[in-house]
Coordinates of all heavy atoms in Angstrom, one line a residue:
Chain Y
S9 N -23.5 22.7 5.7 CA -22.1 23.1 5.9 C -21.7 22.7 7.4 O -20.5 22.4 7.6 CB -21.9 24.6 5.7 OG -22.7 25.3 6.6
R10 N -22.6 22.7 8.3 CA -22.3 22.3 9.6 C -23.6 21.9 10.3 O -24.7 22.3 9.9 CB -21.7 23.4 10.4 CG -22.5 24.6 10.6 CD -21.7 25.7 11.5 NE -20.5 26.0 10.9 CZ -19.3 26.1 11.5 NH1 -19.3 25.8 12.8 NH2 -18.2 26.5 11.0
D11 N -23.5 21.0 11.3 CA -24.7 20.6 12.1 C -24.3 20.1 13.4 O -23.1 19.6 13.6 CB -25.5 19.5 11.3 CG -27.0 19.6 11.7 OD1 -27.3 20.1 12.7 OD2 -27.8 19.0 10.9
I12 N -25.1 20.3 14.4 CA -25.0 19.7 15.7 C -26.1 18.8 16.0 O -27.3 19.1 15.9 CB -25.0 20.8 16.8 CG1 -23.8 21.8 16.5 CG2 -24.8 20.2 18.2 CD1 -23.9 23.1 17.5
C13 N -25.8 17.5 16.2 CA -26.8 16.4 16.3 C -26.7 15.7 17.6 O -25.6 15.6 18.3 CB -26.5 15.5 15.2 SG -26.6 16.2 13.5
Q14 N -27.8 15.2 18.0 CA -27.9 14.4 19.2 C -27.4 12.9 18.9 O -27.6 12.4 17.8 CB -29.4 14.3 19.7 CG -29.9 15.6 20.1 CD -29.3 16.1 21.4 OE1 -29.0 15.4 22.3 NE2 -29.1 17.5 21.5
R15 N -26.7 12.4 19.9 CA -26.3 11.0 19.7 C -27.5 10.1 19.5 O -28.6 10.3 20.0 CB -25.5 10.5 20.9 CG -26.3 10.4 22.2 CD -25.4 9.9 23.4 NE -24.3 10.8 23.7 CZ -23.2 10.5 24.3 NH1 -23.0 9.2 24.6 NH2 -22.3 11.4 24.7
G16 N -27.2 9.1 18.7 CA -28.3 8.1 18.4 C -29.1 8.5 17.1 O -29.8 7.6 16.6
T17 N -29.0 9.7 16.7 CA -29.7 10.1 15.5 C -28.8 9.9 14.2 O -27.7 9.5 14.3 CB -30.1 11.6 15.6 OG1 -29.0 12.4 15.7 CG2 -31.0 11.8 16.8
S18 N -29.4 10.3 13.1 CA -28.7 10.1 11.8 C -28.7 11.5 11.1 O -29.6 12.2 11.2 CB -29.3 9.0 10.9 OG -29.3 7.8 11.6
L19 N -27.7 11.7 10.3 CA -27.6 12.9 9.4 C -27.2 12.5 8.0 O -26.3 11.7 7.8 CB -26.5 13.8 10.0 CG -26.2 15.1 9.1 CD1 -27.4 16.0 9.2 CD2 -24.9 15.8 9.5
T20 N -27.9 13.1 7.1 CA -27.6 12.8 5.7 C -27.0 14.1 5.1 O -27.5 15.2 5.2 CB -28.9 12.4 4.9 OG1 -29.4 11.2 5.4 CG2 -28.6 12.3 3.4
I21 N -25.8 13.9 4.4 CA -25.1 14.9 3.8 C -25.2 14.8 2.3 O -25.1 13.7 1.8 CB -23.6 14.9 4.2 CG1 -23.4 14.9 5.7 CG2 -22.8 16.0 3.5 CD1 -22.0 14.6 6.2
Q22 N -25.5 15.9 1.6 CA -25.7 15.9 0.2 C -24.5 16.5 -0.5 O -23.9 17.5 -0.1 CB -27.0 16.7 -0.1 CG -28.2 16.1 0.5 CD -29.4 17.0 0.1 OE1 -29.4 18.0 -0.6 NE2 -30.6 16.5 0.6
C23 N -24.2 16.0 -1.7 CA -23.2 16.5 -2.6 C -23.7 16.6 -4.0 O -24.1 15.6 -4.6 CB -22.0 15.5 -2.5 SG -20.6 16.0 -3.5
Q24 N -23.7 17.8 -4.5 CA -24.2 18.1 -5.8 C -23.1 18.7 -6.7 O -22.4 19.6 -6.3 CB -25.4 19.1 -5.8 CG -25.9 19.5 -7.1 CD -26.8 18.4 -7.7 OE1 -27.7 17.9 -7.1 NE2 -26.5 18.0 -9.0
V25 N -22.9 18.1 -7.9 CA -21.8 18.6 -8.8 C -22.4 19.3 -10.0 O -23.5 18.9 -10.4 CB -20.9 17.4 -9.3 CG1 -19.7 17.9 -10.0 CG2 -20.6 16.5 -8.1
D26 N -21.7 20.3 -10.5 CA -22.3 21.1 -11.6 C -22.3 20.4 -12.9 O -22.9 20.9 -13.9 CB -21.6 22.4 -11.7 CG -20.1 22.2 -12.1 OD1 -19.5 21.2 -11.9 OD2 -19.5 23.2 -12.7
S27 N -21.7 19.2 -13.0 CA -21.7 18.4 -14.3 C -21.5 17.0 -14.0 O -21.1 16.6 -12.9 CB -20.6 19.0 -15.3 OG -19.4 18.9 -14.7
Q28 N -21.7 16.1 -15.0 CA -21.6 14.7 -14.7 C -20.1 14.3 -14.4 O -19.2 14.7 -15.1 CB -22.1 13.9 -15.9 CG -23.6 14.1 -16.1 CD -24.1 13.3 -17.3 OE1 -23.4 12.7 -18.1 NE2 -25.5 13.2 -17.4
V29 N -19.9 13.5 -13.4 CA -18.6 12.9 -13.1 C -18.7 11.4 -12.9 O -19.8 10.9 -12.5 CB -18.0 13.6 -11.8 CG1 -17.7 15.1 -12.1 CG2 -19.0 13.4 -10.7
T30 N -17.6 10.7 -13.2 CA -17.7 9.3 -13.0 C -17.5 8.9 -11.6 O -18.2 8.1 -11.1 CB -16.5 8.7 -13.9 OG1 -16.7 9.1 -15.2 CG2 -16.6 7.2 -13.8
M31 N -16.5 9.5 -11.0 CA -16.1 9.1 -9.6 C -16.5 10.1 -8.6 O -16.2 11.3 -8.7 CB -14.6 8.8 -9.5 CG -14.1 7.8 -10.6 SD -14.7 6.2 -10.5 CE -13.8 5.6 -9.1
M32 N -17.1 9.7 -7.5 CA -17.4 10.5 -6.3 C -16.9 9.8 -5.1 O -17.0 8.5 -5.0 CB -18.9 10.8 -6.2 CG -19.4 11.7 -7.4 SD -21.2 12.1 -7.2 CE -21.1 13.4 -6.0
F33 N -16.3 10.5 -4.2 CA -15.7 9.9 -3.0 C -16.2 10.7 -1.8 O -16.5 11.9 -1.8 CB -14.2 10.1 -3.1 CG -13.6 9.5 -4.3 CD1 -13.4 10.3 -5.5 CD2 -13.1 8.2 -4.4 CE1 -12.8 9.9 -6.6 CE2 -12.6 7.7 -5.6 CZ -12.4 8.6 -6.7
W34 N -16.2 10.0 -0.7 CA -16.5 10.6 0.6 C -15.3 10.3 1.6 O -14.8 9.2 1.7 CB -17.8 10.0 1.2 CG -19.0 10.4 0.5 CD1 -19.7 9.7 -0.4 CD2 -19.7 11.6 0.7 NE1 -20.8 10.5 -0.9 CE2 -20.8 11.6 -0.1 CE3 -19.5 12.7 1.6 CZ2 -21.7 12.7 -0.2 CZ3 -20.4 13.8 1.5 CH2 -21.5 13.7 0.6
Y35 N -14.9 11.4 2.2 CA -13.8 11.4 3.1 C -14.3 11.9 4.5 O -15.2 12.6 4.7 CB -12.7 12.3 2.7 CG -11.9 11.9 1.5 CD1 -12.3 12.2 0.2 CD2 -10.7 11.2 1.6 CE1 -11.6 11.8 -0.9 CE2 -10.0 10.8 0.5 CZ -10.4 11.1 -0.7 OH -9.7 10.7 -1.8
R36 N -13.5 11.4 5.5 CA -13.7 11.9 6.9 C -12.4 12.5 7.3 O -11.3 12.0 7.1 CB -14.1 10.8 7.9 CG -14.3 11.3 9.3 CD -14.8 10.1 10.2 NE -13.8 9.2 10.5 CZ -13.9 8.1 11.2 NH1 -15.2 7.8 11.6 NH2 -12.9 7.2 11.4
Q37 N -12.5 13.7 8.0 CA -11.3 14.4 8.5 C -11.6 14.7 10.0 O -12.3 15.6 10.3 CB -11.0 15.7 7.8 CG -9.7 16.3 8.2 CD -9.5 17.6 7.4 OE1 -10.3 18.2 6.8 NE2 -8.2 18.0 7.4
Q38 N -11.0 13.9 10.8 CA -11.2 14.1 12.3 C -10.4 15.3 12.7 O -9.4 15.7 12.0 CB -10.8 12.8 13.0 CG -11.8 11.6 12.7 CD -11.5 10.4 13.4 OE1 -10.4 9.8 13.3 NE2 -12.5 9.8 14.1
P39 N -10.7 15.9 13.8 CA -10.1 17.1 14.2 C -8.6 17.1 14.2 O -8.0 16.2 14.9 CB -10.7 17.3 15.7 CG -12.0 16.6 15.7 CD -11.8 15.4 14.8
G40 N -8.0 18.0 13.5 CA -6.5 18.1 13.5 C -5.8 17.0 12.7 O -4.6 16.9 12.8
Q41 N -6.6 16.2 12.0 CA -6.0 15.1 11.3 C -6.1 15.2 9.8 O -6.7 16.2 9.2 CB -6.5 13.8 11.8 CG -6.3 13.6 13.3 CD -6.6 12.2 13.7 OE1 -6.7 11.2 12.9 NE2 -6.9 12.0 15.0
S42 N -5.6 14.2 9.1 CA -5.7 14.2 7.6 C -7.0 13.6 7.2 O -7.9 13.3 8.0 CB -4.5 13.4 7.1 OG -4.4 13.5 5.7
L43 N -7.1 13.4 5.9 CA -8.3 12.9 5.3 C -8.2 11.4 5.2 O -7.2 10.9 4.7 CB -8.5 13.5 3.9 CG -9.1 14.9 3.8 CD1 -8.0 15.9 4.1 CD2 -9.6 15.2 2.4

Side-chain angles (χ1 to χ4, degrees):
Chain Y
S9 61
R10 61 176 62 227
D11 208 342
I12 301 173
C13 300
Q14 296 290 323
R15 66 177 66 201
T17 63
S18 298
L19 176 71
T20 296
I21 303 168
Q22 299 179 0
C23 181
Q24 177 76 52
V25 190
D26 65 336
S27 58
Q28 294 183 348
V29 293
T30 303
M31 308 294 285
M32 295 183 77
F33 307 89
W34 288 98
Y35 288 87
R36 182 174 73 183
Q37 186 179 23
Q38 294 181 305
Q41 297 191 24
S42 187
L43 284 72

